[in-house]
Amino acid sequence: MVDEDCSTQEMTWRMRAGGWRISSLRSVRACGRVLRDSNMNGGGAVMVRMIVHQDLTAAGVSLGNLVACKSRSCPRCAGVIAHERSEELARGLRWWLEYPGREESRPMRCALFITFTVQHSMQDDAQSLMDAVSHGRTALTAGAAYRGNSHFIGDRKRFGIAGWVHTIENTWNPVNGHHVHLHSIVLLDRAPTVDEYQQLVIRLFTRWERSLEKDGYTCDFNKGYSVEFVSDSHTAATKLAEYVTKDTAERAAFELLNGQGKHGRHGSMTMFQILARLALDDGTQRFWFPLTKQTRPLWLDDSTLAIVNAESGEVVREYPVAGNLKLLRVVHEIEQALKGRRLMTFSKRSTKPACELDTLWNEFLDRTRMEELTDEQIADRRDTHSYYSQLISADDWYHTYVRNPEKIFELVRLYNHDPEFTADDLFK
């Protein structure tokens, strides 16, 4: 049972532990459950560390030496990646918009925050929509019309585009299904005139529309996109919260715990908002299905989940679902669509800069991504602002905590409210 003192960290752990039972991805089922370099009966231990703020006050608990799945479908790993990328982009945009000489005679740099959408219905699956959006993302900057050549000035040089940052987002509602869209940040080395602004928007939307049509989709010019001009870092930071960290488990948990996660009948939800709802559902907490290398989940209809042989397709077992558990089908569809897909992309670095725009973009990347870490490396990072507290043996972890996740939630709760508490107190 979740009480009024539940923290976002506890709710995130509830969503993570729920994935051990109901995820369609074996990697997510192992994340935070399996110890590194050990087996069910082997050595090793879970490192319990107290997370602290910069002033050394307690900020929660970190359970270390556990496997991280590095998946964008994981409540923990997706959040770690999104927050790191958000901090990187905020740092880069501050440099871009507050560069030396800004108040002098140099042209004013700016950024365009653009959202591209796709017309969709309940019949469109997440995989096909994400493929179409990915193709559209590529089409925005492909070809001579954008890049130019020795005989033709392309849009990049014509409008002063240094580079792009893209992120794909998906929400779902029971009326229109999956709403997959693309958020793009376009860095311009000068503010466009009204005429240039209109020309650029039309040209970009035309490329987007043509790409969608190749995949059998369309969009509406009147409401198929939105554009916001940004020239100051404060506005940019606000927009980043919408573009990069909107779909995280932590945000979904916060909204749910603060009464903001109650969606109407036709309300749209991100995947993590759905997982947060399932984490509080008694029926979901009792639901489990096996998943091995030889099997995979397959939904026969909205109310029947089947486990089938991965090679032959033979049904091994069927599980009827009802109520909120029907949302699990949506989660599984999104998980499979996100598998192996990179949601956030940057324009490539120029190994041999041929113009000032190439040099500017390279410097932006240097300021933004100082360590050049991949998403997988970010997700695998350990908490740095923490202090060692104690160890939980492998045997205790598997037989006491994993078998009864409420013990984990209790540990997280007590560390959030009483930093002097130790796991030994659970057995007193």
Side-chain angles (χ1 to χ4, degrees):
M1 181 65 67
V2 180
D3 58 32
E4 59 183 10
D5 293 326
C6 181
S7 64
T8 56
Q9 186 184 27
E10 180 187 339
M11 268 299 300
T12 301
W13 258 106
R14 287 181 176 274
M15 296 158 67
R16 193 180 189 186
W20 301 346
R21 296 176 289 100
I22 64 176
S23 176
S24 66
L25 302 175
R26 294 179 65 248
S27 59
V28 173
R29 285 178 166 238
C31 189
R33 177 177 64 87
V34 177
L35 269 70
R36 294 169 178 264
D37 306 318
S38 71
N39 52 51
M40 294 294 290
N41 298 311
V46 175
M47 296 182 64
V48 183
R49 302 176 68 92
M50 183 173 69
I51 303 174
V52 296
H53 296 294
Q54 290 185 345
D55 62 1
L56 300 184
T57 57
V61 63
S62 169
L63 304 181
N65 196 33
L66 295 170
V67 167
C69 67
K70 313 174 187 65
S71 169
R72 293 307 298 259
S73 298
C74 169
R76 181 266 176 191
C77 295
V80 171
I81 295 169
H83 284 294
E84 179 70 18
R85 294 303 186 207
S86 178
E87 290 180 2
E88 289 179 343
L89 276 175
R91 182 169 59 239
L93 284 172
R94 278 196 301 271
W95 171 80
W96 182 260
L97 298 172
E98 298 176 0
Y99 58 96
R102 174 183 169 86
E103 304 301 329
E104 300 173 6
S105 58
R106 297 178 61 180
M108 180 181 69
R109 293 180 189 165
C110 63
L112 298 181
F113 283 68
I114 310 178
T115 298
F116 298 93
T117 65
V118 185
Q119 288 189 345
H120 57 94
S121 68
M122 282 294 291
Q123 284 67 48
D124 298 316
D125 62 275
Q127 180 76 46
S128 298
L129 284 167
M130 287 195 184
D131 286 343
V133 169
S134 295
H135 297 157
R137 175 179 61 187
T138 300
L140 291 172
T141 57
Y146 176 79
R147 299 175 183 174
N149 54 40
S150 58
H151 306 289
F152 180 81
I153 297 177
D155 288 350
R156 187 186 183 214
K157 186 175 181 180
R158 179 183 291 110
F159 299 106
I161 301 173
W164 296 65
V165 181
H166 301 286
T167 182
I168 297 176
E169 182 182 318
N170 179 47
T171 59
W172 178 89
N173 72 58
V175 176
N176 297 315
H178 296 282
H179 174 46
V180 184
H181 45 287
L182 179 70
H183 292 305
S184 299
I185 303 174
V186 189
L187 300 190
L188 305 179
D189 71 342
R190 59 180 173 80
T193 64
V194 174
D195 184 57
E196 288 176 327
Y197 177 86
Q198 293 175 340
Q199 286 185 45
L200 177 58
V201 169
I202 292 174
R203 291 175 71 84
L204 292 177
F205 181 85
T206 300
R207 292 195 193 101
W208 174 258
E209 184 179 37
R210 288 174 179 171
S211 177
L212 291 182
E213 288 175 350
K214 292 179 181 179
D215 286 310
Y217 293 99
T218 186
C219 56
D220 186 343
F221 182 80
N222 294 318
K223 55 183 179 181
Y225 72 96
S226 66
V227 185
E228 185 167 344
F229 175 88
V230 175
S231 60
D232 66 279
S233 57
H234 176 73
T235 304
T238 302
K239 294 297 295 181
L240 276 179
E242 300 176 16
Y243 271 46
V244 183
T245 60
K246 179 179 179 180
D247 187 13
T248 64
E250 185 178 31
R251 177 161 176 171
F254 176 83
E255 292 176 348
L256 188 67
L257 295 171
N258 289 275
Q260 301 172 32
K262 296 179 179 179
H263 307 277
R265 179 172 165 236
H266 302 318
S268 294
M269 297 179 284
T270 67
M271 182 181 71
F272 292 119
Q273 287 172 326
I274 296 175
L275 288 176
R277 175 180 292 189
L278 293 176
L280 301 182
D281 184 76
D282 290 337
T284 304
Q285 294 176 24
R286 294 189 297 268
F287 185 74
W288 171 86
F289 65 88
L291 190 63
T292 67
K293 291 182 179 180
Q294 292 74 37
T295 60
R296 62 181 177 86
L298 175 67
W299 286 84
L300 303 180
D301 54 50
D302 290 340
S303 303
T304 310
L305 169 63
I307 305 302
V308 302
N309 184 287
E311 292 186 3
S312 67
E314 179 185 359
V315 175
V316 178
R317 186 170 178 180
E318 295 183 10
Y319 295 86
V321 299
N324 281 331
L325 259 178
K326 289 185 176 182
L327 291 173
L328 190 56
R329 180 178 186 176
V330 179
V331 174
H332 286 179
E333 189 174 346
I334 297 174
E335 285 182 332
Q336 294 302 316
L338 293 180
K339 188 175 180 180
R341 193 185 299 272
R342 194 164 297 279
L343 298 184
M344 178 176 286
T345 59
F346 292 73
S347 294
K348 293 181 179 180
R349 178 185 297 274
S350 297
T351 56
K352 296 180 179 180
C355 62
E356 185 180 358
L357 292 174
D358 290 343
T359 302
L360 284 173
W361 181 249
N362 284 354
E363 190 168 357
F364 172 79
L365 292 177
D366 291 338
R367 303 274 182 166
T368 300
R369 309 182 69 174
M370 295 180 177
E371 297 182 81
E372 288 290 345
L373 297 176
T374 64
D375 287 353
E376 291 75 17
Q377 289 171 324
I378 290 173
D380 207 33
R381 271 180 158 181
R382 305 297 97 187
D383 295 294
T384 54
H385 298 293
S386 62
Y387 288 92
Y388 168 74
S389 177
Q390 63 189 97
L391 295 175
I392 300 175
S393 70
D395 184 69
D396 280 347
W397 174 252
Y398 286 119
H399 294 93
T400 301
Y401 292 87
V402 173
R403 287 185 178 181
N404 182 15
E406 285 294 335
K407 292 292 186 181
I408 301 176
F409 311 148
E410 187 176 350
L411 180 63
V412 172
R413 187 182 312 125
L414 290 171
Y415 260 88
N416 270 277
H417 295 286
D418 183 5
E420 296 182 358
F421 176 80
T422 65
D424 292 338
D425 293 323
L426 289 174
F427 304 101
K428 292 181 179 178

